[in-house]
Amino acid sequence: VFQLSVPLNFLGSVYRELRQSLLDMETLFNLQKVNVTVKEVANPRPLALTKGGEIKFQNVSFGYHADRPILKDLTMTIPAGKKVAIVGPSGCGKSTILRLLFRFYDADSGQILIDGQNIRDVSLDSLRESIGVVPQDTPLFNNTIEHNIRYGKIDASLDDVKKAAQRARIADLIERLPAGWNTMVGERGMMISGGEKQRLAVARLILKDPPLLFFDEATSALDTYTEQTLLQNINSILKDKARTSVFVAHRLRTIFDSDIIFVLKDGQVVEQGTHPDLLSLKGLYADLWAAQEVSLGQDMTLEKELEEGREI
Ligand code: ADP
Ligand code: MG
């Protein structure tokens, strides 16, 4: 069970909201089975995004179990306001990076800084409020579609909810349903596809509008056409205002236009740079790109390529 290390002496609705968001996180990160032990420092300050959201991992090592390190002395700087990508084989620790950033776990050694502040020194609320995630598998509540989107920002008006849904390319679909915005979803409601869930998650994120955005294989369940349109929309949203955004992806063609691409292998960043930089390195990224380009027509993902035993 997810354990809070901070006493919740907030008032009614704020408390419920916070508890709800922790429940969401719990589902989001599959935390049920772990005992979360992170602690806030005494009188923590709120995270201050004074430089626009630069994220630094400095010599970070981490493993879920002492005998199996996942991140090994990982160092990487995600510049403020840029669009970056993290690529690497399944299981190499990409989602772990996000879990550390959210402080669901603390690094065993090294440090993580946001705009120069060690994330251990800031309040957990301010840290988690600043980061928005579109996960691979979006948790839905047994409630209406409207509620599920508004969840990104509890006090949003129906109009705001609708606008966010439009930008996430899901509004038309919702409006065609017999019960429209009141359609029940979740375990006891209408079944919706993985792609629709991801669009709901994007709508939530648009509504929440956090300064740091994380897309964790967010478009992986979409067909190529829907993926392309959604990515175009996400890009236009990112252009509105400078926000640090991190895309974890398997399909390299969804991230090749990133400002920086970090290639992870064996718990470390082995290559980094722009797409042209990485191609001219003729290393791991270039190999992956070549392999995916060949199979583009078949819509192959890195995962499938791994299954098929291609050397990476
Ligand atoms: P990626 O997102 O790159 O596919 P993850 O960061 O989710 O990989 O996981 C990295 C490794 O850590 C995997 O081998 C995974 O099995 C393992 N792992 C993930 N979560 C846990 C956990 N809660 N307990 C133990 N091992 C875990
Ligand atoms: Mg992952």
Side-chain angles (χ1 to χ4, degrees):
V1 168
F2 193 96
Q3 288 189 337
L4 267 180
S5 52
V6 230
L8 283 172
N9 49 7
F10 296 91
L11 296 170
S13 70
V14 178
Y15 171 75
R16 273 194 301 278
E17 197 176 316
L18 186 64
R19 201 178 48 172
Q20 190 65 75
S21 98
L22 287 168
L23 287 176
D24 185 31
M25 289 300 167
E26 196 176 315
T27 330
L28 210 63
F29 292 98
N30 272 319
L31 287 172
Q32 298 91 328
K33 289 169 215 84
V34 298
N35 201 1
V36 176
T37 54
V38 298
K39 290 207 164 56
E40 277 185 319
V41 295
N43 307 313
R45 263 184 280 186
L47 175 66
L49 291 168
T50 47
K51 297 181 199 161
E54 177 201 65
I55 305 170
K56 251 186 193 211
F57 278 68
Q58 284 179 337
N59 308 98
V60 171
S61 295
F62 173 76
Y64 296 94
H65 303 289
D67 57 346
R68 189 166 167 244
I70 305 290
L71 303 181
K72 301 169 197 163
D73 204 26
L74 179 122
T75 293
M76 112 180 132
T77 299
I78 298 172
K82 298 288 184 196
K83 186 180 159 192
V84 312
I86 300 177
V87 301
S90 182
C92 75
K94 302 180 297 295
S95 298
T96 301
I97 288 176
L98 179 59
R99 292 183 198 115
L100 293 182
L101 199 59
F102 260 100
R103 277 199 83 206
F104 285 122
Y105 301 89
D106 278 329
D108 299 325
S109 61
Q111 48 186 356
I112 303 169
L113 309 169
I114 300 179
D115 284 352
Q117 299 146 87
N118 191 323
I119 60 170
R120 289 184 188 229
D121 296 334
V122 303
S123 73
L124 284 173
D125 282 354
S126 68
L127 177 70
R128 292 173 184 171
E129 268 307 299
S130 305
I131 309 169
V133 192
V134 179
Q136 194 165 4
D137 188 23
T138 303
L140 290 181
F141 303 107
N142 294 312
N143 208 315
T144 63
I145 289 191
E146 183 191 334
H147 173 90
N148 268 280
I149 297 175
R150 175 169 292 124
Y151 172 76
K153 186 170 174 244
I154 306 288
D155 59 355
S157 69
L158 177 59
D159 203 43
D160 291 338
V161 170
K162 286 183 176 173
K163 278 194 190 124
Q166 262 154 20
R167 299 194 75 180
R169 300 248 158 181
I170 186 122
D172 290 350
L173 191 140
I174 296 168
E175 279 164 6
R176 282 200 301 271
L177 296 169
W181 298 91
N182 293 321
T183 307
M184 294 292 292
V185 291
E187 277 161 37
R188 293 191 289 278
M190 193 184 73
M191 292 293 291
I192 69 170
S193 72
E196 288 156 4
K197 272 192 191 179
Q198 282 179 321
R199 281 182 278 167
L200 277 183
V202 171
R204 263 182 203 167
L205 188 79
I206 291 169
L207 212 52
K208 180 177 173 179
D209 193 23
L212 308 173
L213 305 180
F214 223 102
F215 299 85
D216 194 356
E217 303 191 26
T219 58
S220 55
L222 303 178
D223 62 80
T224 309
Y225 174 76
T226 315
E227 177 177 54
Q228 286 309 323
T229 39
L230 185 56
L231 282 172
Q232 276 165 18
N233 269 8
I234 291 172
N235 280 334
S236 82
I237 292 157
L238 293 179
K239 280 195 196 98
D240 284 2
K241 102 180 162 202
R243 268 177 276 222
T244 310
S245 54
V246 182
F247 290 77
V248 171
H250 276 303
R251 292 175 183 142
L252 299 184
R253 73 191 133 86
T254 63
I255 54 89
F256 75 97
D257 59 344
S258 304
D259 296 316
I260 305 182
I261 301 164
F262 296 94
V263 185
L264 239 65
K265 194 188 174 205
D266 297 332
Q268 291 191 318
V269 175
V270 291
E271 294 172 6
Q272 62 178 319
T274 61
H275 176 77
D277 292 344
L278 293 175
L279 286 186
S280 60
L281 269 184
K282 298 193 193 309
L284 179 57
Y285 181 89
D287 286 349
L288 292 172
W289 179 258
Q292 292 194 6
E293 216 175 15
V294 169
S295 56
L296 209 75
Q298 296 148 42
D299 204 23
M300 293 269 281
T301 63
L302 177 55
E303 203 119 61
K304 285 188 194 138
E305 280 153 20
L306 283 168
E307 277 165 23
E308 290 185 12
R310 276 205 186 85
E311 197 55 44
I312 64 133

